[in-house]
Amino acid sequence: MSEVVYEETATMIAAGDLQSFVPFGREHCRNHPNAFNLQLRELQPASELWSSDGAAGLVGSLQEVMASFHHQESWQLRKGCTGVKEDEAEFEEELYTAGNMAVWSQGSRTQASSVYKAFTVDGPVQQALWCNFAVPQNNNDEVEQTVCIVQSSCINVHTVTGKDFISPLPFQVSNVWATKFGLLLERKNAANDTQPNPPGEPLPTVFSMLHPLDEIAPIVYKPSGLFEGSRVQYVSDSNMKMVFTCCQPSIVVSYDTIQGTHTVWALRKVTHDERSMVLRCPTEPAGTPLGLMTSGFLASHLRNASHLDSPGGSGGSGGHPSRIMTSSPGVHSRVHSPSISNMAALSRAHSPGMAAPSFSGASRFNTSFHSPSPRGHHGLLPSPNGTANESVVMPEMEPIIPDLCVEQLWSEAVSAGCHREMSSQASKVFLTSDLCENHYLCFLVESHQHLRCVKFIESNDATQLIFPSVTTIPAKDAAPLQNIDAMLVLEACGSLVIYTGITRVRTTWGQVDNCINTQLPHIPLTNQLPYLSTPVETVSTPANAGSRHIHRLNEDAMPSPVSELKSLNIKQQEASFFEDFSFQQATPFILSLRDPVCNRVTLELSSGVMLRICIPEIVLVKWYNIYNAPGGPSTHAEWSQFVTCFMTLMGYNTERLAWTRHLQFEVPLSPVIAAKKARPSDGGSDEVCKMHNVNNDNKCMYLSSLKLESSAPLFPHIPALFGVLHLLYQELQLDELHRARASSLVCLLQQLARDLQLEEYVDLYWRDYPSLISCFTESCIIDQAVIGQMHRPTFLSSDPPCVFNWLSSCLRGEASPPFPYLPGICQRTKLTSVFCFSRQSSVKVRVSSESLAEQLVVWLTSQGFTLKDLESVPFGVALPIREAIYRCREQPSSDWPEEVCLLIGRQDLTKQAHKMTLAKSKSVGSGFSLVPPASSEADEEEDGMLDIIHEVTGLIWSQDLRIQEVRRLLQSSRPVRVSVVQQPEVSDHEYIEEKENKLLQLCQRTMALPVGRGLFTLFSYHPVPTEPLPVPKLNLTGRAPPRNAMVDLNSGNIDVPPNMTNWPSFHNGVAAGLKIAPASQVDSAWIAYNKPKSPELANEYAGFLMALGLNGHLTKLATLNIHDYLTKGHEMTSIGLLLGVSSAKLGTMDMSITRLLSIHIPALLPPTSTELDVPHNVQVAAVIGIGLVYQGTGHRHNAEVLLSEIGRPPGPEMEYCTDRESYSLAAGLALGMVCLGHGSNLIGMTDLNVPEQLYQYMVGGHRRAQAGASRERHKSPSYQIKEGDTINVDVTCPGATLALAMIYLKTNNRSIADWLKPPDTCVTPTLARCIIMWDEILPNTEWVKSNIPQVRKSFLKMFCFLSQAQDYITAGACMALGLRFAGSANSDAFDCLYDFAKTFMKMMSFAGTAAMGYYNLQTCLSMILLAMSMVMAGTGNLKVLQLCRFFHKRTGGEMNYGFHMAHHMALGLLFLGGGRYTLSTSNSAIAALLCALYPHFPAHSTDNRYHLQALRHLAVLAAEPRLLVPVDVDSLKPCYALLEVTYKGTKWYNETTVELMAPTLLPELHLLKQVKVKGPRYWELSLDLSKETQHLKSILVRDGVLYVKLRAGQLPYKDDPQGWKSLLATAVSHRNSGVTAFKPEAISTFTSEPALISFAEFFCKTSEGLKSDSLMLFSAMLYECVTQECPEMLPTYIAMEQAVGALHQGDLQQTFPLWQLRLVVELWDGRMLRGPANKHDTLLTSEFLPVMKNAVDVSLDNWLQGEWISVVSSYMRGEVLSRDAQSIMLACFLVYRSIPCFRNMQANLEGKILSLSLSDRHVCRKLPQCLCSVYILCLQTCCLKMARIAFT
């Protein structure tokens, strides 16, 4: 054995902080009442526990139990994968087993561990592991995550979803493995210990279980394909032990105990042919079951075949059961799963009778049994613990079909000499990879202390695995670090070493030493072993896999350049030396590594302590940090190594070239390092030239060696490599962050170009870096005989591709060939396609420029281009992109994705795309919030209206306090003021009665307030899930001045109606529930949580349930809770629940809700059903519910039943006798909703004659005979009501009329409308007829009066007074007008209604009001007030508010509960949702409004005779959000913004555009064509509604927030209403006063851009180091950027000014800035060619760019006045140019003037001369040859000044 001596460096990698590790499950098991704690109690009698000896004995016994407990425990860790989301932090999962417990816990470094699931089983846990089973679902396999607990007789399988399975084991298992397909089970061979070969044929040893419900099946194996005649057989070799399984790739590693070799198998599903081959196997003698046993040839064949190596396999992660490492999603800790016994688990098993193995199941695995029965006789059922000793005759049975097959991939090959030495099973197997994505299968042979790394790769078709090589690493233990593509190796000396693949990186032992010393301070770390290495053993590999050793990388080849500190050289000794030495140490050392997860691993110390270590991810790139440390070595060393290696492979002798010979010197190629020098140095020119000068004297001796070696491997590919590097060079030019590297690359490129004799390329490099390229003169010789061996690619042309030159040609509109592009190299070159846009822009077709700009921006976004990328693009190339972005920013599309909005700098659109709602902006610092400002103590008395967003209402109604007035009018939580003056003749008792009577009148108003308050606060509150919903009190007490004495109705002085507060409490609950916004987080638990404990509040809770249905949340209530509420029998709760669930399921025909409603409607029950005592009002609610659920569906059966229910006759006794009107009306409304808007298209209902039947209900006549079930139900007449066979039209007319109106709604069917000519005193027919003739409704007085019949008009003229008929007809027409223009805020409709309201109010003030009927006039006036509120819904109109306040104050006379309800409903509609909502005119909305605003109001609070009060709240179904709230995207505050709204053309008006100041309510969206945010204050934004309205609908639903962005230089409307304070306002009177009057210190007022504010702070204020000219220039730049809204142009302005200044001072070392200036100038010239009007298309102003251009021209003209002829002559002759300013200026001139290469002119000079004019030809004849070329080129490039100077 040869000695290998290594030196260890002192530089070590710093590991993360060490943490003491104790398995979490251990602590949990200690506190668990399981068998372990019972053991402790049974150690001693209780009497001895408290004695001193007993205590000592207890301690001793406890130590024994603890020792055995630790010996039996085991655990494994993995990366958290249980339901984890992508954005959640990493965590670890632990599966701990001890005794009969298994604990699954989760935790991370930042979060304490917690139990996820815990299991307790009957028997001891042999093993626990995670496994994923595949469950077929819809042609796809769903993965079911489980934990498997292995016992001696069964396997308990528990899924994460709560399913439990028990799979009995028909044999004892030695080990269970998780695979891609399920579980693998190794059969335990009991006879293996005593007999090496048991008698009889071998039995299968490995089985599979694909699912807990599947049968356990043996697996088969397929030997290597090299063995002829081999066939598929069962795995039955008892000497083959499994040591590792993996899911990705799906492989199995086994160990042959006889051969001492490891084999890799591919695990896959068995094919059909293989299954058939196994099942055709003939039956063996000795009673072997059919198809199960194989011949005795199997074992020997396995051993012989194990030497063969064949590729194969397929592609998951797994591991040893104690170190399993799988990676899949997971969740955080939830709850403990209940402890489960075997019996309890069995009761939940999915397959019956699985507790004991059946004969047919177990007999397939055991050929013989001899197990005594517990009752003394022999049973056929075997014991799982039984062994096969005797053979019995087995009956013939079906063979078990195998599911899986293992196919041999690779096996170790061991020579005979070292057979014993290598015979050792791997103690650990894992997969790892290196930074180059090479994959290795590593197995640790602990006895030899080495790690074998088998490299494997996938075949080209990804169907096989190939194992090319094996490498051995000295190691005592190892663990993979998956996250950082490395592994941690514990060497024999105790050092921890990081390997990436098989490459050693660094040692971490130094840091770990310190941490261990800190963790264990009582044990000094004195004996630290120096680094020792083990010898490398030779491992042979099969086939073409060559054996090789691993060698420690030399320091010069290592990435790290840190100098070594020499340590002691210690010779390698035998491994036993370390074992002996380790026992002699007193210091704890690292014993092993375990539980690797990501980049964390556990160190197990010799003292028993375990420490968790985290290897940082930067550990493998630490040497990069050393390279790039400030002041330290740079990347030049790495670059020099690359150049040396690269050129050597191409055939160069780098020792002979001067510039490559001195590459090891540090040359500051980085501009950052160059800036540290006192002199300017770009590209290290001086250093390079000095190197050349040193070697000029010895140049001759190297000339003979400057010849390329043609036998070099890369020599034939030099042209191709050069072409690729040149394109890479051009790519670097397009990235400002990487352009500094181009100066390093150009040195290599110029050498290759010289040697390939590509003079044009050399000239291009000289023009780019004139001061650098001038130093290079050497060239190498390529033998002409071997030039033909070089492969010249097609993309390498003689004309060098220059990306800037190509862009310049595009800008000039010249036809240019496509620029070469190589995928993967020229990523930035894709940007050159943007100049197709620029080229098109130069054409005088301006129509398509915007579309081209949009295409460009969308394309850039699709390529992943962002604003951050644009910042690194050179300013000349970026300018056309910025102009396209600027154009798109002006008029963007509203449907652009978020990425496009980010690119164009429209943060408002980006925010909108994020779907940010005001509700989600509650976080601290987000600004705009739904949470109202903190209220005072007085407001803490909850009035239910604290949640109105005052920031929005303050903008809508900024001139007054109408919102506070509405709150005052609608509050019901405070006592009312009872003002009664006591007359002298009134006694005190009578005075008290007067006050209480007055209070009773006021309470009529108070009880009606909640209906209006619910509309006012609609959807304004987002409840907290942990808090109950605040419900305001319904205060029915009063305060009497002047002493503020309490007045109460409970004194008994006056009669108070019973149950007076039932319905008001219901309305109060509805109002509280309607506050909840639909987007709130509400669940079934929260709904039940709000249930009051007090029975007095049950009515409020019933209303709360109805409100939850109206806002859509009742669908989340569990069905069990719904039935629980209904079975209580509480009438109000049933009404609220039925109406709520029906509203939530509007128009869905939901069957579960239909069944729920049908139970409460006798007509929908079968005739034989039990009669239920359903309250009348509940029946009414259920009927309306049917109409809501089946709205617009035209359902025949329900329509037929409802049609008959309109005329339901009274039954016997008192059945159906009370409040018949409300039931008939409800049936009519429900019928109208079911057939809503169908008109005459009632499909399938022709035989019902619905219109005729409804007409009969309206006008009366004989009742039709009932059919079917209704006939049986109504055969007994009523004993109380004698109607006979005649229809009672007083009951049926309202419902039938409204049903007819709703069926023919908006159909304009005149024949039906004529049926509804109004009788003398009826509102409903007029309303019905008008809404049928929908299009004829006009917003003027004439149309309202036209509804009064002509006969009636003449009759009225005769008597000269208004009758009831005219009043009701007028009121009905006004109600129809309100429905027609609901939510439109139509001024004509409002004026018309307001005039009628004033007319009726004057009539009420007449002396003869009583004779005309005060009640009738008040009813009509209430209807007109409701109609006005519908038209002005959500607008908060002041005139309507004044009317509502007027009626609010009237409490005496006939002003009853119903009128108060109508007036306050009008007030609620006027301020619907706090101004955020308004009404719709859709069919569904009209139907809801008809139900809610039915013009027959209750006389008192318990009145439901004509109309169910709960239906008043259905007006919510007609509400829709249409408030558009502009929110400033920078401040997140609502603001004013000017909108331009365009209406579509209709038959009443043409297409119209109006301007609205938002926040404002929009008209109905189907009427609009476009909504546009208009400038100049804010960036424009158009929402095109002609295509689709969904985008605007989603904005309105999300609180109507429309994000807008304020333009720079503008102030919000709130701060500057007239626009007189804007930045541009000062430039109105004087032409240039804008720049001069601009004050940079006030910049923060006009823009929020941090770059502009910082620039103004540091560069636009007078200071000592800043000149006045520079100050003015910077201020002008800032002014332009602010006024043009282009802050991104500020770096461009500065870069142009710096480039011009450097050119003027002669400081330019490279021509890159002039290239950019040239591109900018050519872009500007292209704009100017299109005309002066196109000056506004460019971002650069018309003043700045001409000044810069003129400065460049002056600098170049000054150079032409000097001695330039000699420089040009030298350049033309190909001489080496000096590095003086003349040469640099020449390069700048050639670049800026677009002059091509001069050297191409020499060959065809005469032909060029002949193409000139006679005068120019005469001049050329007089000039020298070199100047003649200059003259011709100057003429061709229009450089006339230089041509004239050359001639002179």
Side-chain angles (χ1 to χ4, degrees), residues 652 654-661 691-692 695-696 698-700 702-703 706 747 750-755 773-781 1776:
Y652 283 92
T654 55
E655 292 297 326
R656 303 301 183 184
L657 281 173
W659 70 276
T660 57
R661 186 165 63 254
M691 296 174 192
H692 281 262
N695 295 278
N696 279 341
N698 301 326
K699 187 175 182 180
C700 296
Y702 297 133
L703 287 178
L706 295 180
C747 300
Q750 65 84 26
Q751 185 66 57
L752 297 177
R754 289 180 192 275
D755 300 338
I773 302 301
S774 298
C775 302
F776 294 92
T777 58
E778 293 178 296
S779 61
C780 298
I781 301 172
V1776 178

Side-chain angles (χ1 to χ4, degrees), residues 972 1010 1013 1031-1034 1063-1073 1100:
S972 60
R1013 190 178 70 245
V1031 181
K1033 297 178 182 179
L1034 192 63
W1063 279 104
S1065 297
F1066 179 88
H1067 298 318
N1068 196 42
V1070 175
E1100 281 187 355

Side-chain angles (χ1 to χ4, degrees), residues 1497-1645:
F1497 306 105
H1500 46 81
S1501 63
T1502 59
D1503 182 13
N1504 288 287
R1505 177 177 180 180
Y1506 297 99
H1507 183 264
L1508 185 65
Q1509 291 189 38
L1511 303 185
R1512 299 291 175 186
H1513 299 284
L1514 294 184
V1516 173
L1517 299 178
E1520 65 176 3
R1522 292 215 301 267
L1523 180 70
L1524 200 62
V1525 184
V1527 175
D1528 189 278
V1529 72
D1530 296 318
S1531 63
L1532 291 181
K1533 297 289 183 181
C1535 60
Y1536 292 110
L1538 190 62
L1539 299 182
E1540 188 178 82
V1541 178
T1542 303
Y1543 286 82
K1544 296 177 183 176
T1546 64
K1547 65 179 182 180
W1548 294 284
Y1549 53 84
N1550 297 324
E1551 183 175 309
T1552 309
T1553 300
V1554 296
E1555 290 186 354
L1556 302 174
M1557 183 62 73
T1560 184
L1561 287 170
L1562 294 177
E1564 289 191 87
L1565 301 189
H1566 70 272
L1567 301 175
L1568 302 182
K1569 180 180 180 181
Q1570 186 186 52
V1571 177
K1572 180 180 179 181
V1573 178
K1574 193 176 180 182
R1577 300 289 184 97
Y1578 293 91
W1579 283 102
E1580 292 186 359
L1581 170 62
S1582 296
L1583 301 173
D1584 190 1
L1585 304 182
S1586 60
K1587 300 177 182 178
E1588 55 93 20
T1589 60
Q1590 189 57 42
H1591 181 60
L1592 183 56
K1593 282 182 180 178
S1594 63
I1595 292 175
L1596 295 174
V1597 168
R1598 298 193 305 272
D1599 295 325
V1601 175
L1602 180 68
Y1603 289 99
V1604 294
K1605 183 172 177 59
L1606 189 69
R1607 283 179 175 268
Q1610 300 287 346
L1611 293 176
Y1613 285 98
K1614 192 174 183 180
D1615 300 333
D1616 184 18
Q1618 304 299 328
W1620 295 340
K1621 302 178 183 179
S1622 67
L1623 194 59
L1624 294 175
T1626 57
V1628 175
S1629 57
H1630 302 285
R1631 180 176 300 176
N1632 295 323
S1633 60
V1635 179
T1636 56
F1638 173 60
K1639 297 179 180 180
E1641 58 271 11
I1643 188 66
S1644 60
T1645 310

